Structure formats: C-alpha cells, structure tokens
Amino acid sequence: MSSEPSYSEFKPLLTQSVGYGVVVGVGFFFAGVMFILTTLQRKFFKFSPASSEEFTSASRSVKPGLICCGIVSAWTWSATLLQSSTVAYTFGVSGPWWYGVGGTIQVAMFGMVASKVKQNANGAHTFLEIVKTRFGTSAHILFTFYGFLCILLVCGSLLLGGSATVNALTGMNTTAACFLLPIGIAVYVIFGGLRATFICDWSHTIILFIIIYIFTFRAYGTSPAIGSVSRLYDLLEQASIATPVVGNQGGSYLTMKSDQGLVFGAITILSGFTGVFCDQGYWQRAIASHPESTTKAYMLGGISWFAVPWAFASCLGLSARALITNPNFPTYPSPLSPSQISAGLAAPAAAAVLMGKGGAITVLLVVFMAVTSAASAELIGVSSLFSYDIYRTYFRPNATGDEIVRVSHCFICFWAVWMGCWATILNAVHIDLGWLYYVQGCILSPAVIPIGLTVSWSKLTKAGVFCGAIGGACFGMLAWMIGCWKIYGQINISNLAQPYSALCSSLAGLFFSGILTVGVSLLNPADYDFSGTRAIATLEDTIGSDISGVDTSYRASDTESQNEKREEKQSSLKQPVSNIMEVGLENDDEQRLRSLKTVFRKAFIYSSILTLIVVILVPLPLFFSHYVFSKKFYTFWTACSIIWAFASGSFCIVFPLWESRNEIGMILGSAYRSIRK
C-alpha cells in the first residue's frame, strides 16, 4: 500500500539577525565603497557620473576586461547558482553542463550583435532607440512592452531566489527580504551610474570565484562528509540505487544520457536567448564598451561565465544529492520537497552539511552578491529605458543631460520599491524561482529574432517585425496551452511551468517568429543603409545648469571637456583645409566600418565553433552512447570544471586590473598628492 512521501521543514542554521545583517549591512557597505570611489572619480578622473553619457553608458569607454567581468557578474543571477544546483540535484552531471551551455552561447552570439551596434548605432543609449529610429513609434511601443516585461521577469527571478535562500538559512521574513534587498543596490547605482556597477561587478566576481574555490576545496578535499572526488562518486552511485532518475541511463546521476536533462538543455538555451537579447542590461554593456573591443569582451565573458554554473553546481548540487542521508542534512531524514527544490534550496542544503554555519553564511553571501550585481545592471537598464524611451521620447524631447540624470535617479528609486512589491506579489500567489525560469522563454522568445535583426539586417521590414513578434507570440501561446493540456492532462499554473509545456511554447515562439520575420520581410525587402541609426547622437549635458543639492564643480571636468571639443570643432571649421579634413573623416569612418565588419566575422566564427563544441561535440556523443561515467572519467570531468573555474577566476580578477593600471595609478597618485597638500 503506497503512501504520500513525508517532507521536513528546512531547518535554518542562522538567526534572523544574520539575515538582516547581510541584506542591509553588506548592501550599505557596498554603497559606502561606491560613494568613495565615485567621489575619487569625480575629483580626479576625466569622466564624471553627473554627466548623462557617463551615468547611462560610462562614456562608451569601458575596456574589455571590465566588460567581461560585468558580463560574468550580471549574468550570474541567483538562478545561476540556485537553479543550476537544482538541476544537478535532480538530473545529475548533465544539469550543470546544460545550464552553462544555455547562457554561454547566447553571450557569445550577442558579441555579433554588439559589433553591429557599434557599426550601425554607436550613438544609441538603448536598443529601443534603434527600433524607434528605424521603424517608428508603433514598433517602439511594441518592443518597449517586451523590454519592460523582460526586466520584470528578471527582477522577479532575482528577488524570489535571493529571498527564498535568506529565509531558508536564517528564517528572515521573505517579504522583508524582497523589499530590503534592492535598497542598498539602488543607493550605489544612484551614486555612481553604470561605471559604478562595473566596479561593483568586479568586486562581486572576486567574491564569487573565491567562494566557488572554498566549496570546491571543502567538498573534494577536507570535508568529513565527502572529502574526495572518489567518495562523492561512490555516494552518487548509492543515490542512483536509492532514488534513480527517470529517463537517465540506469537511473544514474553520473551520465549525460538524461532525457530530462536534454529537455532542460533545450529550454535553457531558448530561455537564455530571451535573457540576453531582450534585456537592456546586455545592450547597455555593448553600448558602454570601447568600439574596437566590444566583441572581444563578449567572447571572453561567455567563456569565463561557463565555469560558474558548471563548477558551482557540479560541486554543491551533486553534493546535495549525495548527502541526503547525512544526519546534518537540513531536512533529514527526508529529501528536499518539490517546493524546496523549486525554490532552489539544493545548494544551501549542501553548504550546510559541508561547512555548517560557515557554509550557510558563505552561500548566503554569494547569493546576495549574485542578486546585487544582476539587480544593479537591471536598475541601470530600466532607468535608461524610462528616461530615454519614455520621458525623452514622449514627454520631453528636448530634455537636457542634467534632466536625464535626475529622471534616472528618481526612476531607480521607484523601481527598487516596485521590485520588492512585484516579488511579494509573485510570492503571495506561490510563483517561485523555478516557475519563472521555465516560463521566461515562453513569454519572451517571439521578440528575440526581430530585436536581433533590427540592428543587423538591412532587408528587415516593419511588417516583418510586427508579424514575427506578434504572430510568434500567438503561436507560442497556442503551443503552450495545447502542449500543457495534451501532455499533462489539464491547464493550471503548475503544469504551465512543466518542462515539456515550456519547451513547446519557447520552441514554437522562437521558430515561428523567425519564419514570419524573415519570410514577410523577403516578400517586399527593405534596403536600409542604417544612416538613420548611425545619426543617433549622444546627449551632451547642458552647460551651466543649476541643480539644487548638486555641486556643479563635480561636473567641471566633463563640462570643460565638452567646451574643448566645441572649440576644436569651431577652429577646425575656420581652417582653409576643411575639405581635406572632411575627406579624412570619411576615410576614418570607412576604415572603422571595415574594421567592425572584420570583428563581426570573427565573432561569427568564434560563436559557431564554441556552439559546435559545447552543444554537439561534447554532450551528444556522451548522450547517444548511453555512457555512465566511470570513476576515472568522473574524476577527469570534475578536474576540467575545477581548472576552468580557476582559469576564469584568475582572468576576471587580474585582467581588469592590468588593463586599467594607468588609470588606477593616476587616480591614486592624484588622491595622494591632494592629501599631502
């Protein structure tokens, strides 16, 4: 006689005071650090955060190492750490690999789009500005809806995952966590703008990789519960016998032959495209980067980020599955319940066993870092959408740079509060991290191809954009409902986020969107030369504006540089060789375009090779051979993940320092001389 399995509550290892201390204290600590760094930047560096161009696009001068670090940090959501560990706990070794694939190839492919942004719309502040210039108001409104919807889904995912972890480990009230998490983030974003988020991204990435190394050494080396790769292999073999995985070869957690894992891989690839191509945060980084190094930064970012879910989840996700029978497991003697799994609590459970309270604090800190770094990118992104694409486009077309900065500050404050409200609403109706992760691709996939082609394909038409985005959404929704009904028997909130329902919708939405977008455009192709988008101008701040409460001396360097540029332009017009100079400028533009076209081709080759390796050459032979890892091969697999993590961490930590050594030396030297006076 069968009975329903019984589950235990997740026992908090820490007190609520620790939760509040991390959420509030660490958040405001970073805000204080950013205030100091921003003050140094304003006083001793040529770019001031009081400038709208600096605040929203970092004056388009960020070097590839810092962009790479920003990509790693901003793409490391709470879901990256928690959901990847969940699929490792659920499917075995295939889960972390497919999660990594689902984020890496999109970042690499977005490198091609980033090069097209620099080639065809270098003055744009948001991707919606490009849409507005090329296709007009109606298309702009359509994609404004998709842009804000993407940010809503991302913010919900960040706060639900973060608050669930804080609640499980400390008992802190979930609603309080949802509201308090964004506060410190908003403070330092307002102080420093986009460049401040890059600096914070670098510091967060250091902490992230150090914590990955700590858990790696603990699980595979010093933990009494595991202590070696060989011991973890033996425990996973025992788990395969006790709780075999349906659809895995022999029920084993040690095989890439996982039907559920393969379906998850398809979903995460489709969802990853929406999380990159529809998110203003990624376009913001492409806009902020130096033109010649944009694609290089995205290439390096994609490779470096892959190590995060692969190494972190292979360690903690698989450890959680292996340690279910350990008396120190938070839900012992029961496994994690379905709701605990969906909330992403596999990694916190493993950390609690491996390191006790220290592990709980460590995973709490790394999840907090993931939430803050990704949320800071979303706050800058959403403030840019509002200030440029709503306020400046429809309410104040002649808005000055000072106004844009003020409006951005106000909207960041509003969105930080709304993020908390939104996450609280989702939590109240029992929507969690896992639900949002699966559903994201269903909702946003129809917009991916029209958005990507807007900046890169000259034959794209307005009719094609609308047919693709709206028609793809209709087909995707239809496939979602029919798939859910036919496969799971009834349509309800839970079943809509089941893997096969999500796959049907995401695949149909992306496929039919692409067919309609390209097909309708080719019926009457355009011949757009991108002259309109190339004419999008950067916004110079109004000189001499008087804003109460803001010291205008902070903007002195920015204003002086603008005056110098104007004087240079005026003097150049007086020269008798102006015609020769114009020809020289045209030649420079042609040379720059040729250079960017070469960069685009390199990005295409690189992303194609990377996709071939991580999507086909490595996982599919292992899948179709039905191979179950031997102990030696599992040791090799684990060693590869550790080596990749160490290489990525070293690169992300050292490269930004090396490439900015002159600027760092200049700022520190100026500060030292100022103190000595």
Side-chain angles (χ1 to χ4, degrees):
M1 181 176 176
S2 62
S3 61
E4 290 293 323
S6 60
Y7 298 106
S8 306
E9 286 189 16
F10 196 103
K11 299 184 287 288
L13 292 177
L14 307 170
T15 62
Q16 290 190 29
S17 60
V18 175
Y20 282 100
V22 170
V23 171
V24 179
V26 178
F28 279 94
F29 168 77
F30 272 101
V33 171
M34 284 306 102
F35 177 75
I36 294 170
L37 293 176
T38 302
T39 301
L40 291 173
Q41 180 189 348
R42 283 172 164 166
K43 195 171 180 65
F44 303 115
F45 198 48
K46 61 183 177 179
F47 298 122
S48 167
S51 158
S52 63
E53 290 298 325
E54 172 66 12
F55 186 84
T56 60
S57 60
S59 301
R60 305 164 200 273
S61 62
V62 182
K63 296 181 179 180
L66 205 55
I67 291 285
C68 167
C69 223
I71 291 168
V72 172
S73 183
W75 202 209
T76 303
W77 302 353
S78 52
T80 304
L81 306 174
L82 302 178
Q83 187 67 19
S84 63
S85 298
T86 295
V87 293
Y89 176 88
T90 307
F91 308 139
V93 294
S94 65
W97 180 270
W98 285 121
Y99 194 102
V101 170
T104 296
I105 62 173
Q106 292 84 350
V107 172
M109 290 181 180
F110 194 78
M112 296 188 289
V113 176
S115 70
K116 287 294 184 181
V117 170
K118 290 300 180 184
Q119 180 180 329
N120 296 327
N122 193 37
H125 305 87
T126 69
F127 75 92
L128 295 176
E129 277 189 318
I130 305 171
V131 172
K132 177 75 163 59
T133 301
R134 184 168 180 182
F135 296 119
T137 300
S138 55
H140 183 257
I141 292 173
L142 173 64
F143 287 111
T144 298
F145 167 77
Y146 272 113
F148 276 95
L149 186 59
C150 177
I151 292 175
L152 269 178
L153 291 172
V154 173
C155 289
S157 174
L158 292 173
L159 291 186
L160 286 177
S163 61
T165 301
V166 173
N167 172 263
L169 292 175
T170 70
M172 179 181 177
N173 183 271
T174 302
T175 302
C178 288
F179 277 99
L180 290 174
L181 278 168
I183 300 300
I185 307 168
V187 172
Y188 79 69
V189 170
I190 289 173
F191 276 138
L194 184 59
R195 197 179 298 271
T197 69
F198 280 120
I199 297 171
C200 263
D201 286 345
W202 178 73
S203 61
H204 291 170
T205 303
I206 293 176
I207 296 171
L208 169 67
F209 277 106
I210 288 175
I211 288 175
I212 290 175
Y213 302 154
I214 289 172
F215 281 125
T216 299
F217 286 129
R218 182 64 174 168
Y220 301 137
T222 63
S223 170
I226 299 177
S228 68
V229 176
S230 176
R231 174 62 178 159
L232 180 57
Y233 180 90
D234 294 337
L235 290 172
L236 289 172
E237 279 199 321
Q238 295 172 20
S240 301
I241 298 171
T243 53
V245 187
V246 177
N248 280 27
Q249 180 67 26
S252 176
Y253 292 93
L254 296 160
T255 179
M256 289 294 288
K257 200 289 172 185
S258 171
D259 296 342
Q260 295 183 76
L262 189 64
V263 171
F264 172 79
I267 294 169
T268 198
I269 289 171
L270 295 169
S271 179
F273 275 112
T274 66
V276 172
F277 280 73
C278 298
D279 190 346
Q280 171 60 22
Y282 286 90
W283 292 83
Q284 204 98 13
R285 280 158 169 72
I287 290 165
S289 61
H290 191 275
E292 302 302 326
S293 60
T294 303
T295 301
K296 177 183 177 182
Y298 277 85
M299 292 177 182
L300 297 174
I303 293 177
S304 299
W305 179 84
F306 186 85
V308 176
W310 190 26
F312 186 88
S314 292
C315 176
L316 288 189
L318 294 177
S319 294
R321 174 55 68 180
L323 296 171
I324 287 176
T325 56
N326 190 294
N328 294 321
F329 197 77
T331 60
Y332 180 82
S334 306
L336 295 174
S337 69
S339 62
Q340 291 164 345
I341 294 171
S342 188
L345 299 184
V353 180
L354 292 173
M355 296 174 60
K357 289 186 177 182
I361 293 174
T362 305
V363 81
L364 181 63
L365 182 61
V366 75
V367 170
F368 176 80
M369 293 291 102
V371 173
T372 54
S373 59
S376 66
E378 296 307 311
L379 285 174
I380 283 287
V382 76
S383 70
S384 298
L385 292 186
F386 181 81
S387 56
Y388 285 101
D389 292 292
I390 295 179
Y391 179 76
R392 188 177 176 223
T393 299
Y394 297 111
F395 296 98
R396 289 275 293 171
N398 297 320
T400 65
D402 293 325
E403 288 180 75
I404 292 296
V405 172
R406 283 202 308 273
V407 170
S408 295
H409 287 174
C410 294
F411 197 74
I412 286 170
C413 294
F414 164 78
W415 196 263
V417 176
W418 169 240
M419 281 173 65
C421 297
W422 172 241
T424 302
I425 292 169
L426 293 175
N427 184 62
V429 295
H430 306 293
I431 299 296
D432 58 20
L433 172 65
W435 196 94
L436 280 181
Y437 184 82
Y438 280 107
V439 167
Q440 177 178 309
C442 304
I443 297 174
L444 297 175
S445 61
V448 170
I449 293 176
I451 289 174
L453 293 181
T454 295
V455 75
S456 58
W457 192 37
S458 62
K459 298 185 185 300
L460 183 66
T461 64
K462 185 175 181 179
V465 165
F466 272 89
C467 288
I470 297 176
C474 293
F475 279 109
M477 290 295 170
L478 192 62
W480 196 12
M481 299 303 158
I482 293 175
C484 180
W485 175 42
K486 289 293 186 181
I487 296 171
Y488 298 104
Q490 61 178 336
I491 299 174
N492 56 37
I493 291 178
S494 177
N495 288 343
L496 285 173
Q498 292 296 322
Y500 287 100
S501 298
L503 180 61
C504 290
S505 177
S506 301
L507 194 58
L510 187 69
F511 177 78
F512 283 106
S513 171
I515 293 294
L516 290 171
T517 301
V518 175
V520 172
S521 295
L522 290 177
L523 291 177
N524 185 23
D527 189 20
Y528 191 67
D529 61 1
F530 292 101
S531 58
T533 57
R534 287 171 185 160
I536 298 174
T538 58
L539 184 64
E540 292 185 349
D541 295 333
T542 302
I543 300 174
S545 61
D546 184 17
I547 303 174
S548 62
V550 180
D551 187 354
T552 55
S553 65
Y554 283 163
R555 294 191 299 274
S557 61
D558 187 54
T559 303
E560 288 169 6
S561 66
Q562 290 175 8
N563 286 335
E564 289 171 3
K565 290 178 182 177
R566 288 193 180 94
E567 290 171 3
E568 288 173 4
K569 289 179 182 177
Q570 290 172 0
S571 62
S572 67
L573 291 174
K574 297 176 183 177
Q575 300 299 321
V577 292
S578 59
N579 291 336
I580 298 175
M581 292 179 67
E582 289 176 5
V583 172
L585 289 173
E586 289 178 2
N587 290 336
D588 288 344
D589 286 341
E590 290 178 3
Q591 184 175 357
R592 184 180 68 87
L593 290 176
R594 284 197 299 269
S595 174
L596 288 172
K597 287 178 181 178
T598 302
V599 169
F600 176 82
R601 287 193 293 270
K602 289 181 179 178
F604 175 77
I605 294 171
Y606 158 78
S607 59
S608 299
I609 293 174
L610 181 64
T611 301
L612 180 68
I613 293 172
V614 299
V615 177
I616 297 174
L617 294 183
V618 173
L620 293 190
L622 291 173
F623 180 88
F624 288 112
S625 66
H626 295 198
Y627 178 62
V628 177
F629 290 7
S630 65
K631 186 173 288 188
K632 286 185 178 179
F633 188 83
Y634 177 67
T635 302
F636 168 75
W637 183 268
T638 303
C640 288
S641 71
I642 296 172
I643 293 169
W644 200 318
F646 270 92
S648 298
S650 302
F651 177 82
C652 288
I653 293 168
V654 175
F655 187 39
L657 288 175
W658 175 255
E659 67 179 4
S660 299
R661 62 193 182 280
N662 293 331
E663 290 82 355
I664 294 171
M666 181 186 69
I667 292 174
L668 293 178
S670 299
Y672 177 74
R673 286 190 294 272
S674 178
I675 294 171
R676 289 288 301 271
K677 286 182 181 179

